[in-house]
Amino acid sequence: MLAGMRAAALAFMLLLAPPWTVDAQSIAAEARAAFQRGVSALANSRIDVAREAFARAAALAPEWGLAFLEWGAVEASIDPKSALALECLHQAAELAPGNPRVHYQLGLLYEQQEKYADAVRELKAAIALRPTMVDARFHLARLLILTGARDEAATALEAVIAADAGHTGALAALAELYEGAGKIDAAETALLSIAKIQPQIAFNHVRLGQFYERQGDQRKAQAAFAKAEALDPRPKRNMRKLR
């Protein structure tokens, strides 16, 4: 199957390659120009133009890992199940194994294709190359939760918070993990942090109130629900009525 994917990618590249012989310097210049067209098109949400431009750059410079990386990322954004996207990113990984973005994009693609073990491997590779990749750590944590590695997921989320204290997605996931592990004080601290970071979002106070209800603390629960009600008085499906 992989050989077929490679053949399909090669055939597509050949269609884009120059039909005449020109000097290497001219080809390199044209490849760079095509790549820049792709970058500009992507910045303007012109996905089809970006796709063709990056494919052209890869065809002109088949040893240029960055061209395959951007081509593969665009193909993945169009169709996460795309065999061509996977082949492009595999090619990028072969050409530029030290580029953390290659492994990050591969990890995201594997995640979308529900190949979770492969996704975890690639995200860990990205983090090893660039430990400051917060998004990679967050995606890794989500996958670890999904696959049942909750302790490892908590460690990954704690690393996200250490790098970005305002990452509410990581705080919410940590709160759930902490509560499940019986670390009630830590779970409360995480939920309070979210409400402090985003005090105007009613749902944050609703979620805090629900947490207090689960712990049997009705006084704190009602106080949290009252804050949510003051921010958004519309009926909420999961909000308790105030006494």
Side-chain angles (χ1 to χ4, degrees):
M1 181 178 179
L2 185 58
M5 289 161 52
R6 289 180 182 277
L10 180 60
F12 187 59
M13 288 169 60
L14 287 174
L15 290 174
L16 297 166
W20 57 85
T21 302
V22 293
D23 63 275
Q25 189 173 4
S26 297
I27 292 176
E30 189 176 346
R32 288 192 298 271
F35 186 86
Q36 287 305 316
R37 284 199 306 275
V39 171
S40 297
L42 203 56
N44 290 289
S45 300
R46 299 173 63 192
I47 303 300
D48 287 344
V49 175
R51 177 192 208 181
E52 184 176 346
F54 289 134
R56 174 71 171 168
L60 291 165
E63 300 301 317
W64 193 8
L66 190 58
F68 282 96
L69 168 59
E70 298 300 341
W71 182 15
V74 169
E75 293 291 346
S77 72
I78 295 171
D79 178 11
K81 304 295 184 182
S82 167
L84 181 56
L86 189 58
E87 172 55 25
C88 287
L89 292 176
H90 278 160
Q91 187 70 7
E94 289 183 12
L95 294 169
N99 187 328
R101 282 191 59 236
V102 171
H103 298 284
Y104 177 60
Q105 290 294 334
L106 258 177
L108 295 183
L109 186 59
Y110 279 133
E111 179 184 0
Q112 291 175 307
Q113 295 183 353
E114 299 182 0
K115 298 176 181 178
Y116 299 131
D118 291 329
V120 167
R121 183 191 67 242
E122 293 299 332
L123 290 172
K124 285 183 175 180
I127 294 165
L129 289 166
R130 186 180 294 169
T132 57
M133 288 189 77
V134 172
D135 287 347
R137 288 189 183 277
F138 184 59
H139 277 280
L140 174 62
R142 285 176 24 178
L143 284 168
L144 291 170
I145 292 171
L146 190 62
T147 56
R150 298 175 73 83
D151 290 342
E152 192 178 355
T155 300
L157 289 168
E158 287 163 354
V160 171
I161 298 304
D164 180 4
H167 199 300
T168 56
L171 285 167
L174 261 179
E176 184 176 346
L177 288 176
Y178 284 151
E179 186 178 355
K183 299 178 181 179
I184 304 305
D185 289 344
E188 180 185 16
T189 298
L191 292 173
L192 285 170
S193 295
I194 297 172
K196 184 176 180 180
I197 293 166
Q198 298 174 331
Q200 299 304 312
I201 296 180
F203 174 72
N204 292 335
H205 302 286
V206 172
R207 179 167 49 193
L208 185 59
Q210 291 169 340
F211 166 77
Y212 285 132
E213 279 196 327
R214 290 193 296 272
Q215 308 315 314
D217 193 332
Q218 292 300 320
R219 181 183 62 82
K220 287 186 177 180
Q222 292 300 325
F225 288 140
K227 286 185 180 179
E229 183 73 16
L231 289 167
D232 184 358
R234 293 174 298 174
K236 295 175 179 61
R237 185 176 179 181
N238 295 318
M239 186 185 293
R240 299 271 185 170
K241 290 185 177 180
L242 298 179
R243 293 180 180 177

